[in-house]
Amino acid sequence: MGTIRDKATDARPRYEYSIQETADRLGLPVHTLRRWHEQGILVARRTGGGHRRYARELIDTLASSGMQELSGSAASEELAAVKRSLEDKRRVIQLLLESEKRYRDLVETSHDLIWTTDAQGRFTYVNAASVEVFGLEPPEIMGRCFFDFEVRPAHIANRRFLAKLMRQGEVRNYLTHLRTIHGQDRWIGINARLTASEAGTITGIRGTARDVTEAHIAMIAMEHMAARDHLTGLPNRTALQQALEQALKAEEHGSVIFLDLDHFRYVNESFGYPAGDHLLIGIAAALREAVEPSGARVYRLGGDEFALVAKDKLRAQASELTEKTLEAIRQYRCTLRAGHRMWGVSASAGVALFPFHGNDVPGLLSNVDAAMFQAKEEGRNRYVMFGNDPDDRRSTQRRVHWSRKLRDAIDADRIVLHCQPVVRLADRKTVHYEVLARLRDDDDSLIQPAQFIELAESLGLIREIDLRVVEKVLQHIVAYPARDSLRYFVNLSRVSISDPAWVRRFQQLLASAPVRPGQLVFEITETAAMSEVDVTLKFIERLKAMGHRFALDDFGAGFSSFFYLKRFEVDYIKIDGGFIRDLCEGDSNVLFVRALNDIARGLSKQVIAEGVETPEALEILLQMGAQYGQGFLFRSPYPLEGDPDAAPLHRPAVA
């Protein structure tokens, strides 16, 4: 038995006392310990056999505090204090254990790789994410390092990483390309920090790593898309600029060629935009086939514009390549949607050599663009080498200069509106206003329409100018409701009204404006109307249906208008100012103006005489029964937003 008791005693945890041992240590009767247990003063742990066991730490503390000398009440207070202290310690230990468990749960279940290494960078710990990153279980990777799996030469990548880590003490988002043990590519983002001893000696590295393969591939795809034209798959303008920047930086030489398809707009208008897209895709393929074997690269700049970059090809070789390219476009045939019609196209091209025609990208592109414009002006279906003819170069540079100036004015909203009144000749009372556009230049001076309208039309920028002018007029009408009895005459370009997309935008603008349609009168010159009669008739029909009015401007400048005049459903006819200014030069001029006036009135149109500048001309107009006039004799143009009464007003005395 003794042996059994000895074995049992030996088996008892060394950190606990039995009740008898506790009584001996504290010098208390056993029954007192039992009572204190029941009262909760000194609680024992019950074993499976029902025996009481007391914590050795607690009993030794009580014994050392002189428990034997304490009275019942004093002992109770001391015990209570010790009990509270021990409970606090137990709570702290329990919290630490729970915190450690949570930390381990988070670490082991994290999708991020959590790792530590020794001072040589060899892994001493990794979590379960090592399987995803390296294809190895944690025990299999101990003693190895990140760059054992590096795709690039490991010593180079390792040296760069460690150099940065030693210099900064930590590294964030270090991107490296690894390959798993199974040959799978992984892009990994590493965060790392050095660990050191109290003496400052480096003891290791610790950190996290994340598999960013999907995000990296997506980023590469986005960069690829940003540099690609989505329709043709060709590199785009951004890619062209980058290629030229690299070539100029590397001091390379070669040629850049701009190609613009001739009359491409008519394909879209006649067959629809899907057919136009189909044609562009085919042209892109034809260009690739024609020039890429020679080492040139094809780009699509947008719309119907393409570009080529041919390194090491200067004047003679660039000319030969351009001729070959234009011929490939001329030979291409595309079956469009309307039946089996084959549509042949041509292109105009500009050529510039780098670095000779531009040692920076903006200058080079500006010059090749200028050469392309010159090719179009010379009749299209040809190419021009930049810098061949000084006179042509000056003309083209002027065109490019105005192109930029007009674009800047539109973007910066420097279109300024003036107006000139239309008066009733009988009493010189203002009945309408003609709106006149000017551009405010960089030096705050005003650029007159004669300086920019023709260029704006040839460059296609007149569409934006026309829209902006009408927007400003609508805003003015809304801002000055007291003038709602007046009408505003606004000029529209033939280029604008011939563009179906522009017409749709224009109609949407008018439909959304809180303005009575009758307040706007749109002027179209006789020359413009006669150049595309059907287009003009269709446009007038659409706008008349919305309630707007029309005026045929510069009437008499084209004699063919007499035949077509009755077809144009216009409300006003404005006799060209050149005829009015010549009224005093002879009877033949008077007879001609009277005939124009009588024809217009016979068609029930209201007639406005433009260019009335002298009292003598006014008197002749009154004698022939003209109703309305406009010119410097009555008032010079002034800002639309200005006070009409403040503008110079001429009231000539008429006998």
Side-chain angles (χ1 to χ4, degrees), residues 70 175 219 245 312 361 619 634 649:
L70 294 174
L175 186 66
M219 183 182 68
E245 285 173 1
D312 302 323
V361 173
E619 175 63 23
F634 309 116
L649 175 66

Side-chain angles (χ1 to χ4, degrees), residues 122-414:
R122 295 187 295 262
F123 288 119
T124 56
Y125 170 80
V126 293
N127 66 344
S130 65
V131 176
E132 181 64 27
V133 174
F134 303 108
L136 294 172
E137 296 287 346
E140 299 175 298
I141 205 170
M142 293 300 107
R144 305 182 72 170
C145 73
F146 270 111
F147 301 104
D148 290 344
F149 303 88
E150 175 66 44
V151 172
R152 296 171 296 178
H155 66 283
I156 296 176
N158 192 29
R159 187 166 60 245
R160 289 176 181 171
F161 174 75
L162 291 177
K164 188 173 183 181
L165 185 61
M166 293 299 180
R167 187 171 59 253
Q168 301 177 356
E170 67 175 350
V171 171
R172 293 182 177 273
N173 302 318
Y174 181 88
L175 186 66
T176 188
H177 185 190
L178 306 182
R179 187 162 291 141
T180 71
I181 199 70
H182 305 298
Q184 299 167 315
D185 284 331
R186 293 283 187 271
W187 288 92
I188 305 297
I190 302 175
N191 298 313
R193 180 174 295 175
L194 291 174
T195 58
S197 65
E198 293 183 1
T201 304
I202 294 174
T203 58
I205 312 170
R206 63 188 177 195
T208 62
R210 174 170 294 184
D211 183 350
V212 294
T213 304
E214 290 186 6
H216 184 73
I217 292 174
M219 183 182 68
I220 292 175
M222 289 177 64
E223 291 176 351
H224 179 78
M225 290 174 61
R228 288 275 167 179
D229 170 53
H230 72 279
L231 178 64
T232 63
L234 293 173
N236 61 14
R237 184 181 291 272
T238 300
L240 172 67
Q241 292 173 338
Q242 292 172 348
L244 291 175
E245 285 173 1
Q246 293 171 2
L248 292 172
K249 186 176 180 179
E251 298 183 351
E252 297 175 333
H253 62 270
S255 57
V256 57
I257 304 165
F258 272 13
L259 302 161
D260 186 281
L261 300 184
D262 298 329
H263 307 299
F264 177 75
R265 177 169 59 88
Y266 297 110
V267 178
N268 283 334
E269 291 178 357
S270 302
F271 300 98
Y273 287 97
D277 289 347
H278 182 56
L279 177 60
L280 291 173
I281 293 170
I283 292 291
L287 290 176
R288 271 181 162 166
E289 183 179 354
V291 306
E292 286 189 348
S294 66
R297 193 173 186 191
V298 186
Y299 300 80
R300 184 188 176 208
L301 307 184
D304 57 346
E305 292 185 351
F306 295 84
L308 308 178
V309 173
K311 295 181 181 179
D312 302 323
K313 294 186 186 301
L314 295 180
R315 188 173 298 272
Q317 291 175 307
S319 297
E320 182 181 348
L321 178 65
T322 307
E323 288 280 14
K324 182 178 181 181
T325 302
L326 294 179
E327 183 60 23
I329 293 174
R330 285 191 288 264
Q331 293 298 323
Y332 178 75
R333 293 292 182 268
C334 180
T335 303
L336 298 177
R337 189 174 59 185
H340 298 286
R341 183 174 181 180
M342 304 296 290
W343 187 274
V345 293
S346 63
S348 302
V351 186
L353 309 179
F354 60 85
F356 313 103
H357 295 154
N359 55 12
D360 59 27
V361 173
L364 179 62
L365 294 183
S366 174
N367 290 337
V368 71
D369 199 40
M372 185 186 70
F373 273 125
Q374 186 177 338
K376 283 189 172 294
E377 288 183 337
E378 291 181 2
R380 305 175 189 263
N381 192 22
R382 67 194 63 212
Y383 78 92
V384 168
M385 178 77 70
F386 179 79
N388 277 355
D389 188 317
D391 292 335
D392 291 341
R393 186 162 66 249
R394 281 192 292 271
S395 173
T396 304
Q397 287 173 341
R398 174 178 175 272
R399 183 184 181 91
V400 173
H401 166 76
W402 273 101
S403 175
R404 291 175 179 169
K405 184 182 286 289
L406 290 171
R407 173 50 62 191
D408 289 345
I410 294 169
D411 293 342
D413 195 21
R414 295 206 303 268

Side-chain angles (χ1 to χ4, degrees), residues 474-550:
L474 292 172
Q475 292 167 1
H476 173 82
I477 294 174
V478 173
Y480 293 90
R483 304 180 188 177
D484 63 353
S485 61
L486 298 173
R487 292 193 175 95
Y488 295 83
F489 286 58
V490 182
N491 287 278
L492 297 179
S493 166
R494 63 176 179 81
V495 175
S496 298
I497 68 173
S498 300
D499 184 345
W502 183 91
V503 173
R504 286 193 294 271
R505 289 176 60 194
F506 187 62
Q507 287 183 286
Q508 291 170 359
L509 172 65
L510 297 177
S512 62
V515 172
R516 288 188 300 104
Q519 287 186 262
L520 286 177
V521 180
F522 297 114
E523 295 188 18
I524 300 175
T525 65
E526 178 190 14
T527 304
M530 297 310 304
S531 64
E532 295 185 84
V533 174
D534 291 338
V535 170
T536 304
L537 291 174
K538 186 176 181 179
F539 180 74
I540 292 175
E541 181 182 354
R542 286 184 176 182
L543 273 293
K544 294 279 281 186
M546 296 177 68
H548 297 285
R549 297 177 178 233
F550 276 87

